[in-house]
Amino acid sequence: MMEKKGPAGVKVSNNYWMKVVAIFFVGWILMYATRTIFNPVMGIVGEEYGLSNTQLGLANSVFFLTYAIAQIPFGAIGDKYGRKLVITIGFLVLAAMTYLTGIASTFVIFLMIRAFAGIGQGAYYGPQYALSTEAIPDKKRTVGNAIINSGMAFGTSGGYLLSSKLVLENGEHWSKPFFIMAIPTLIVSIIFYTMLKEKVIRPEDVDKKEETDNESQAKVSLGAIFSNRNLLAAFILCFASIYANFVIITWLPQFLIAERGFEGSSVGFISSLVPWASIPGALLFARINDKLGKTKLMVYSLVPLAILSVFAIAFVQDRSILIAMLVLYGLTGKLALDPIIVTYVTRNAPKGSLGTTLSAYNFIGMSGSILAPYLTGYLADATGSMQIGFYVASILLIAGLVLFSVLAKEKSIQ
């Protein structure tokens, strides 16, 4: 089917949504790979700059602070001026900052560059999910989101393996993974701008064009978003889930080295069990959610198992059980839960402000990623062990589950 511009946007073919899913899948690979290449080499960077665990945690927290702060402004800018443009500019900034990270001469400069890298990544989440929600057919939305989200798993694993192989095993300088990752990030920024379409009209929605036009004019305030009980419930659960996830993403490689005796590329391999396991988990549970349409049931099934696994990762000493718990967390943790909650948010978002709502959701959630690296590093310095950080993450997950069950209205769950 030929694409033709209309007054409400661009008509697209039946297969356009598949292209969108594939492009954004690659985008998340690069988003997470450029984050996690730092984590296996944190100890080496710490030795070079003379840093404590608290300061190393700060390096990650600064990145996620600017990432979180940028969420809502970029979501609103994308809704007003164009989501494709916002995503493209963000990735250009990310590519430049990833390269410059490798040539930072002092820790202060390193922190500043990582802060700007966080701003670049902050342009992605809200505009991306707004564009994909617009493009993906309703009946395939959770599965589509799960496929997109699985890029996070590939990126996490790829970042771990790249750094551990080049630096921990081959003895390369810690900057090399940053130089390598800057290149595909730049290339994908160009792909975003040339291949994505704004304000698409799917074939099945042609008859609904007038209704869509009217809805797109209605903008709501942030107050209306945050006063929505269902959205607030999702925001709180997202915060707890992301906090736990970033305790694991940030500190698991160092925990395996310092407290469980793993060495070399095995650190990257064992750490990658979490993202690898999350891929089938996310796809399976997304498909179940699309069929059943019961978000609370999915949350009550997944989150308790995630709580158990996060606690056990720190508690168990046996390597076989540790590996089993890492796989369990991958199957039931943040990457499996996220597409379910994202779909729930899109169905409860005020009409006309989807990008802003998604950015608000991710802003609250990513606040957990600001606290998790720094607080876990501080607790490790204070207690002499990283275990306490995993226990705190478990407690927050329990609190998030309880508050979600209280706030979310069953009749509105879809």
Side-chain angles (χ1 to χ4, degrees):
M1 175 177 176
M2 296 295 291
E3 297 176 357
K4 300 177 182 178
K5 275 197 173 181
V10 179
K11 292 182 181 180
V12 295
S13 69
N14 285 312
N15 295 327
Y16 173 72
W17 72 272
M18 298 180 187
K19 182 192 296 185
V20 169
V21 167
I23 292 171
F24 287 143
F25 166 78
V26 174
W28 277 115
I29 290 177
L30 295 173
M31 287 275 285
Y32 268 71
T34 52
R35 296 174 185 180
T36 56
I37 50 176
F38 175 59
N39 299 338
V41 300
M42 285 173 66
I44 295 173
V45 174
E47 290 177 5
E48 181 169 318
Y49 291 126
L51 307 175
S52 64
N53 285 324
T54 303
Q55 291 170 309
L56 285 172
L58 179 64
N60 274 292
S61 290
V62 165
F63 173 91
F64 290 115
L65 173 64
T66 56
Y67 174 73
I69 290 173
Q71 293 294 303
I72 295 177
F74 277 129
I77 292 170
D79 283 342
K80 187 172 184 179
Y81 295 107
R83 295 153 181 166
K84 179 176 74 171
L85 179 63
V86 168
I87 290 173
T88 301
I89 293 174
F91 254 66
L92 288 171
V93 172
L94 177 60
M97 293 304 110
T98 300
Y99 182 86
L100 291 175
T101 300
I103 60 176
S105 57
T106 68
F107 182 59
V108 173
I109 294 176
F110 182 90
L111 287 179
M112 292 175 62
I113 293 171
R114 296 306 289 163
F116 280 106
I119 292 173
Q121 288 208 5
Y124 191 67
Y125 190 97
Q128 181 263 286
Y129 277 111
L131 285 174
S132 61
T133 298
E134 195 176 64
I136 301 172
D138 293 344
K139 293 182 179 180
K140 300 180 185 296
R141 189 164 297 162
T142 310
V143 171
N145 284 336
I147 295 171
I148 291 171
N149 272 22
S150 67
M152 302 178 190
F154 281 93
T156 300
S157 176
Y160 284 154
L161 293 172
L162 181 65
S163 280
S164 61
K165 178 65 176 179
L166 291 178
V167 182
L168 299 183
E169 186 165 311
N170 294 353
E172 301 278 0
H173 191 265
W174 62 264
S175 61
K176 189 166 185 178
F178 289 93
F179 296 149
I180 292 173
M181 286 309 308
I183 298 171
T185 305
L186 176 62
I187 294 171
V188 170
S189 69
I190 299 170
I191 293 174
F192 284 145
Y193 193 75
T194 56
M195 297 187 69
L196 293 175
K197 308 295 183 184
E198 290 278 358
K199 297 179 181 178
V200 302
I201 304 172
R202 294 172 297 182
E204 66 268 30
D205 291 338
V206 170
D207 294 336
K208 303 176 184 177
K209 182 176 75 63
E210 183 177 344
E211 178 185 345
T212 302
D213 289 346
N214 292 333
E215 289 178 355
S216 67
Q217 301 302 316
K219 301 293 179 182
V220 298
S221 66
L222 285 175
I225 292 172
F226 283 100
S227 63
N228 183 308
R229 284 182 51 145
N230 289 333
L231 292 178
L232 185 60
F235 294 169
I236 293 171
L237 184 60
C238 180
F239 172 86
S241 178
I242 286 182
Y243 182 97
N245 189 59
F246 278 89
V247 168
I248 293 173
I249 285 180
T250 304
W251 288 105
L252 180 60
Q254 189 69 7
F255 176 76
L256 294 175
I257 294 169
E259 302 196 26
R260 292 297 180 263
F262 288 90
E263 298 177 348
S265 59
S266 66
V267 174
F269 178 79
I270 299 300
S271 299
S272 292
L273 292 175
V274 171
W276 287 342
S278 74
I279 297 170
L283 295 174
L284 172 64
F285 295 125
R287 188 169 182 80
I288 293 173
N289 186 65
D290 274 341
K291 286 188 174 182
L292 299 180
K294 296 187 180 295
T295 302
K296 272 195 171 182
L297 175 62
M298 301 304 298
V299 168
Y300 293 157
S301 300
L302 295 176
V303 177
L305 293 174
I307 293 168
L308 171 65
S309 60
V310 173
F311 180 88
I313 287 168
F315 181 76
V316 301
Q317 299 291 326
D318 183 86
R319 288 192 174 190
S320 297
I321 299 177
L322 173 61
I323 289 172
M325 291 300 101
L326 290 171
V327 172
L328 178 62
Y329 177 76
L331 287 170
T332 61
K334 184 260 181 190
L335 293 180
L337 182 67
D338 202 37
I340 295 169
I341 301 300
V342 167
T343 300
Y344 172 59
V345 168
T346 63
R347 289 171 177 168
N348 283 277
K351 292 180 175 62
S353 293
L354 181 58
T356 305
T357 302
L358 287 166
S359 292
Y361 163 79
N362 201 42
F363 168 75
I364 297 297
M366 293 310 295
S367 299
S369 70
I370 299 168
L371 291 174
Y374 179 80
L375 183 57
T376 305
Y378 171 80
L379 292 172
D381 285 338
T383 64
S385 173
M386 296 176 199
Q387 288 176 296
I388 185 66
F390 290 86
Y391 297 149
V392 170
S394 301
I395 293 170
L396 282 176
L397 277 173
I398 293 171
L401 177 61
V402 171
L403 289 171
F404 182 87
S405 68
V406 171
L407 291 172
K409 295 180 180 178
E410 185 69 52
K411 66 179 181 180
S412 297
I413 306 268
Q414 299 183 49

